[in-house]
Amino acid sequence: MNIRIISPASAVDPQYIDGAKSVLESWGHHVTVSQHAKGRYGGASGTPEERLHDINEAFGDQSVDAILCSRGGYGLAQIIDHVKPVAGKMLIGFSDVTCLHCLLGTLDMPSVHGIMAKHIATLPEDSEPMKTLRSILSGEGISYTFPAQPLSRAGEAEAILRGGNLSVFYGLQRTPYQVIDTDSILFVEDIDEQQYHIDRMLQNLRMSGVLHNIKGLIIGHFSDCEDDPRMSCTLQETLTKYVADFSYPVITGFPAGHVDLNMPLFMNTMCHIQCTNEQIIFSQINPFK
């Protein structure tokens, strides 16, 4: 597989790009690095024009099979409305890359919510995210089974997986890149957010009908997000209370987000979830096979 590494948002330590390139090549892939991937312009990897050039060049290059985003951070909202996706390429990333997942979702194009350059360069080869990413690049699907967590709600659903980083997803509501419909399962995760801000974002999803229309909710890691005693409930209670009146399954503690155990997910792709009081089963067929 021919993989292009791009830096569409924040600047990244070049050693992580070099490390990820080395690992991916050791797996048998051919890896190239975009022109501005190792650059820096303020906190970003390049000017908006430079980052946009690298994204569109990667999509437009017929020899490129997969596009690996080196990191998230911030910056894609500045250029998302000028990105020109091409079908058939496996886009990989998370965090601010949620912008691209949502854009591709409006075009019915699948993508991968998964680890980026730093984790590929530093995680052990036998870690679960690394093993799963390697199998995805080889055309395999995914199937996860793990214990049910408190505040999960039993049930079963099959629908298209949407979402990603809650803050980024929230920022796209009422834009052309809002992708939730009545045949969706919503996945959310976040990092370093105040509990009241998370509550505000969920209120938006409640009042706009997003939480009413979905068929299931998957809550990933909310890293460095602390309970706020002024909120009179825990963060986990905030994350689940606005769907208490709905009957669809709710999964808490899903192993994905801003942590080392960030298991890959196929976005804009059908998924099947089964939640009992004891365990969670999540599965997807590889849409790039």
Side-chain angles (χ1 to χ4, degrees):
M1 179 176 284
N2 291 325
I3 301 174
R4 175 73 52 81
I5 299 177
I6 66 171
S7 298
S10 291
V12 62
D13 188 330
Q15 70 176 339
Y16 293 138
I17 292 179
D18 294 338
K21 182 175 185 291
S22 177
V23 169
L24 293 170
E25 288 176 339
S26 75
W27 293 353
H29 303 291
H30 178 259
V31 183
T32 55
V33 178
S34 65
Q35 179 180 353
H36 306 98
K38 297 181 181 180
R40 180 175 291 274
Y41 178 78
S45 67
T47 66
E49 293 77 15
E50 289 171 340
R51 290 180 282 119
L52 180 64
H53 168 272
D54 284 0
I55 296 172
N56 285 336
E57 183 181 58
F59 273 118
D61 189 334
Q62 294 183 359
S63 70
V64 172
D65 303 305
I67 302 170
L68 173 68
C69 298
S70 69
R71 70 164 293 186
Y74 176 73
L76 274 163
Q78 300 169 334
I79 57 177
I80 192 66
D81 51 336
H82 298 291
V83 175
K84 299 176 181 178
V86 175
K89 299 184 188 295
M90 181 190 293
L91 178 93
I92 306 167
F94 73 105
S95 190
D96 200 52
V97 182
T98 296
C99 278
L100 291 174
H101 293 313
C102 290
L103 168 62
L104 295 177
T106 66
L107 301 170
D108 295 322
M109 295 182 187
S111 56
V112 177
H113 182 284
I115 55 176
M116 298 182 285
K118 180 179 180 179
H119 281 121
I120 295 172
T122 60
L123 283 177
E125 290 261 358
D126 62 351
S127 65
E128 291 302 319
M130 289 284 279
K131 290 192 297 184
T132 306
L133 177 62
R134 186 171 185 175
S135 69
I136 282 174
L137 292 171
S138 298
E140 297 181 25
I142 56 178
S143 179
Y144 305 139
T145 300
F146 55 94
Q149 302 295 312
L151 300 181
S152 291
R153 183 166 62 216
E156 187 172 3
E158 187 170 80
I160 297 172
L161 187 65
R162 308 288 195 186
N165 180 265
L166 176 59
S167 297
V168 177
F169 180 81
Y170 159 82
L172 293 174
Q173 297 307 294
R174 304 298 296 173
T175 75
Y177 313 108
Q178 177 179 340
V179 292
I180 285 290
D181 53 37
T182 56
D183 190 30
S184 298
I185 291 173
L186 176 62
F187 163 73
V188 293
E189 61 82 29
D190 220 319
I191 184 171
D192 196 23
E193 289 288 352
Q194 297 291 321
Q195 186 177 347
Y196 78 88
H197 190 204
I198 293 170
D199 185 89
R200 176 189 293 144
M201 292 187 283
L202 292 172
Q203 292 285 13
N204 172 280
L205 300 187
R206 176 186 66 84
M207 291 185 287
S208 64
V210 169
L211 297 180
H212 180 274
N213 289 324
I214 58 177
K215 290 187 174 180
L217 176 64
I218 300 174
I219 300 171
H221 290 283
F222 275 68
S223 305
D224 301 325
C225 301
E226 304 296 333
D227 291 341
D228 185 343
R230 297 171 297 177
M231 294 297 293
S232 303
C233 67
T234 67
L235 173 61
Q236 287 298 312
E237 288 169 339
T238 291
L239 289 167
T240 55
K241 67 181 180 179
Y242 298 119
V243 296
D245 293 334
F246 305 125
S247 60
Y248 50 72
V250 176
I251 296 174
T252 61
F254 193 91
H258 287 74
V259 289
D260 287 347
L261 188 60
N262 183 14
M263 300 303 292
L265 301 166
F266 293 115
M267 306 306 295
N268 311 314
T269 302
M270 193 68 70
C271 73
H272 182 267
I273 58 174
Q274 185 175 4
C275 179
T276 69
N277 293 330
E278 290 76 35
Q279 69 176 10
I280 306 296
I281 300 174
F282 176 97
S283 60
Q284 290 182 296
I285 295 172
N286 191 328
F288 299 97
K289 187 174 181 180

